[in-house]
Amino acid sequence: MTGDVGTWPHRHLLDVDSLSRAEIERLLDLAVELRAALTSAETAERLRSVVIGLAFYEASTRTRVSFEVAGRALGATVVDLDVVGSSVSKGESLLDTLRTLQRTGASLIVLRHPASGAPYLAARGVDAAIVNAGDGQHAHPTQALADALTLREAIGGPDGSLDGRKIAIVGDILHSRVARSNLHALLALGASVWLAGPPAYVRGFDAWPGVTVARLDEALDGADAVMTLRIQLERAAGGGVPSLAEYARVWGLTEERLALARPDAPVLHPGPTNEGVEISAELAASPRSLIGRQVENGVPVRMAVLSLLASAAHP
Amino acid sequence: MTGDVGTWPHRHLLDVDSLSRAEIERLLDLAVELRAALTSAETAERLRSVVIGLAFYEASTRTRVSFEVAGRALGATVVDLDVVGSSVSKGESLLDTLRTLQRTGASLIVLRHPASGAPYLAARGVDAAIVNAGDGQHAHPTQALADALTLREAIGGPDGSLDGRKIAIVGDILHSRVARSNLHALLALGASVWLAGPPAYVRGFDAWPGVTVARLDEALDGADAVMTLRIQLERAAGGGVPSLAEYARVWGLTEERLALARPDAPVLHPGPTNEGVEISAELAASPRSLIGRQVENGVPVRMAVLSLLASAAHP
Amino acid sequence: MTGDVGTWPHRHLLDVDSLSRAEIERLLDLAVELRAALTSAETAERLRSVVIGLAFYEASTRTRVSFEVAGRALGATVVDLDVVGSSVSKGESLLDTLRTLQRTGASLIVLRHPASGAPYLAARGVDAAIVNAGDGQHAHPTQALADALTLREAIGGPDGSLDGRKIAIVGDILHSRVARSNLHALLALGASVWLAGPPAYVRGFDAWPGVTVARLDEALDGADAVMTLRIQLERAAGGGVPSLAEYARVWGLTEERLALARPDAPVLHPGPTNEGVEISAELAASPRSLIGRQVENGVPVRMAVLSLLASAAHP
């Protein structure tokens, strides 16, 4: 049988930091298996009669659709609370809303919330398994796991490890839930991570073992892969960057700048990109770009997460 | 075969008042059967190739999700018109919109509308079966049936009847579609119902056979169960209640106040609650609270309603 | 096997003008087969494990729901980007959004967009098959194909052709994507089309072979069928029509005015109607009205379109 998930020791997926290296590898292995068996009858029965509730308190298209496709490919019933737009039931609290969703039958709840930590609150107050689909500036574990799978397949060793790989992350690390979860995942898989960005946005991260904060040229020098992050227009100024043009000039990734990295080192971006700002349009569209692959891997990684949590939720 | 629905004599479910006691009991019995067979292959085939259209002209999460889960558990295709938010097709009339939905294939239409009576208009103008999911201040039959099932299982006799039971309903009865439908259901099942609330909001209801309007202490005295209702913030004043704090002081249910009722008499609330106003947080979270159970029973009751109407709609 | 679709030579459906008469007939024949086998097990397996993405950049209920029902009846997974309402992911470009949708697994994308030509842009930039569900004032091919099926069954010859039939279209042709696509479909099927409407809104269309621009009485005279179009309230003035009342007086279809056409000539309208303006309420509700049939045929026609494109998309 493909993708025997056995038992999974975690009730929720709140961030990557709670996963061991072996667990991350098992999850990515399952994602690869599910990707290969995406349309098999067995896959379509895996979560039959499981109800997955989507509770997105922040607008999202790509993550929501990715979870919806993942859940349905597994045969689950996916219902969307449709919180954004329709006033959430008369000012009901988050916990009351999620408890109602659970009592309606949802054993897995995918939660996106603008408040960092909201999924932790949910996990303590609700019986359903909580999947963090992005909370404030804190964590975005399924994105990081999709990125980890993408990197493993692009630059990983024969066993899929990132041991000894140098990965540069460029931009506003401080406010990026994607970067924070990626740090956990990449370090767990053995990579060394170099950070470069406006000083106020990278400061202090070298306290993490395995992380180096450096100048951009140092971070890129000999890197096996480079990830750049979306810069929020409204935050550029706060980081001491007077304009997006200035940001692009100083921090924008281009083919030329990437010459410092290893030949053919791939480039990642969690999307959506500001082309011409943090990454040039040419580079984003070049064969070195893994941006499309990151999106594609989002579905099987989320299928793996949902499968594992369902196996844990119904022991 | 579980849940043989036979023929059902009603084309629509507009309110509980059109159902006989035997019909209500049959519907609740079917709900219990379906709840036990929620994930059976037979249940998942019951409404295969039936299209259920959701037309919610008022924001709702719990009722909409509950109908969606119920419909999908029966194997139906559930489509949401998504009326709220997206401007309803260019000012099209309710009947035109519902007719279009029906012509697109929906043989069952679940309608929530802010205008009392709108489902009756719909039922006269559309061939599809109409399920009233709440109309203005008039009726909310599936909520009342879920409440009836909850009460039957909590305080019902051996045959599931509420004969001889005293049930208190506290709050703004006048504007509550939930209370109005509950009156029909509880009286039909044999209960005697005592109402207490701001005088302007309970006046006249003792004209209903089986209903007593009383002071709060009288209503609670020896009650077998107590249901309290959400007080609309904007209506407190209209009922002669100067503030929510004052409402809570006079009408709010607490453990202490509930001491008047029978020992362990359960408490119900249709949700979402204003904790600390019509019900104390302690009481809402106590073992006496059936609030969660009311939500859970919403799904099988709606499955029963959809199954019965589908059997009537396709004779 | 019903509805063997063989190979279909078109990757996308952007408008009807790219289809030959034989292709239109094949598509309509398939729609008829699928309509007869709407709930068969074979139909429900036809697009199993195909993901269809709905990207509606303009509010729509009827077209969106029709595509959703059509896709699900074929067993596809239909996901809605839910663009309207929720701010489209942070100003992301159309192509980036659609590419993300495709990378999430969608091999068919149904696109409605306020900008004429947007689906052509999408077809050039995305690998998925694009179905135009209405673009600005340009085209609405699935509506036109549903209308063609409706007309073929109402007034077509034994072989289903419209050869020698006179069809009048009344109203604002210039701004109507429905009328434009209908012109292509009806002319391809052999009809002669007569246009009548406010002069600024019909001018120049007689340059199309088979099209005659005429006075209303000339257009209606002996017509085999009459289609009237929704007049946009805000455009009445621009066409030299001072008010809707004046529009109704001059161009509104009534039983009396229709006396000029052949006895029992049917009346069509793409909906939603402004009753009492472009069509009288009596006429819209009369047995001559095919308005309901147009909606009903929308589902099987869209099923045929999705089936054919899926067969082309996966050669």
Side-chain angles (χ1 to χ4, degrees), chain A residues 46-68:
Chain A
R46 194 177 272 266
L47 295 193
R48 182 68 66 195
S49 82
V50 170
V51 177
I52 300 173
L54 306 183
F56 278 65
Y57 284 78
E58 250 186 8
S60 163
T61 49
R62 60 179 65 211
T63 304
R64 182 180 52 76
V65 168
S66 181
F67 270 109
E68 187 168 347

Side-chain angles (χ1 to χ4, degrees), chain B residues 5-13 26 47 49-52 102 105-109 126-131 304-315:
Chain B
V5 295
T7 53
W8 181 250
H10 303 283
R11 181 156 191 73
H12 310 285
L13 178 66
R26 177 173 160 202
L47 295 194
S49 83
V50 170
V51 177
I52 299 173
Q102 174 213 316
S107 55
L108 291 157
I109 293 179
V126 177
D127 287 338
I130 302 293
V131 182
V305 167
L306 296 171
S307 290
L308 290 168
L309 292 182
S311 76
H314 306 285

Side-chain angles (χ1 to χ4, degrees), chain C residues 159-232:
Chain C
D159 59 341
S161 95
L162 297 178
D163 286 328
R165 298 299 188 277
K166 174 181 179 178
I167 298 172
I169 306 183
V170 180
D172 175 1
I173 315 295
L174 183 63
H175 300 98
S176 169
R177 56 194 179 200
V178 171
R180 203 177 296 264
S181 288
N182 258 296
L183 280 180
H184 289 300
L186 301 178
L187 294 170
L189 292 174
S192 63
V193 182
W194 291 57
L195 305 179
Y201 292 166
V202 295
R203 192 170 291 145
F205 281 95
D206 43 11
W208 294 40
V211 173
T212 307
V213 174
R215 294 198 318 267
L216 179 57
D217 58 341
E218 293 170 333
L220 295 181
D221 183 45
D224 292 287
V226 182
M227 179 181 293
T228 180
L229 302 171
R230 183 177 178 81
I231 183 77
Q232 300 288 338

Side-chain angles (χ1 to χ4, degrees), chain A residues 49 51 72 76-83 86-90 92 96-97 99-101 103-105, chain B residues 39 59-62 64-66 68-69 72 82 84 112 177 230 232 272-273 275 291-293 295-296 299:
Chain A
S49 82
V51 177
R72 297 230 209 144
T77 295
V78 183
V79 291
D80 189 347
L81 262 192
D82 205 6
V83 176
S86 77
S87 72
V88 173
S89 15
K90 307 163 190 166
E92 198 179 13
D96 280 345
T97 300
R99 279 183 194 135
T100 297
L101 188 54
R103 282 165 179 153
T104 310
Chain B
T39 63
S60 162
T61 49
R62 59 178 67 210
R64 182 180 52 76
V65 168
S66 181
E68 187 168 348
V69 170
R72 297 228 209 145
D82 205 7
V84 179
R112 167 166 290 194
R177 57 192 178 201
R230 182 178 180 81
Q232 301 287 339
T273 55
E275 291 193 355
I291 299 176
R293 199 82 191 118
V295 177
E296 288 163 9
V299 172

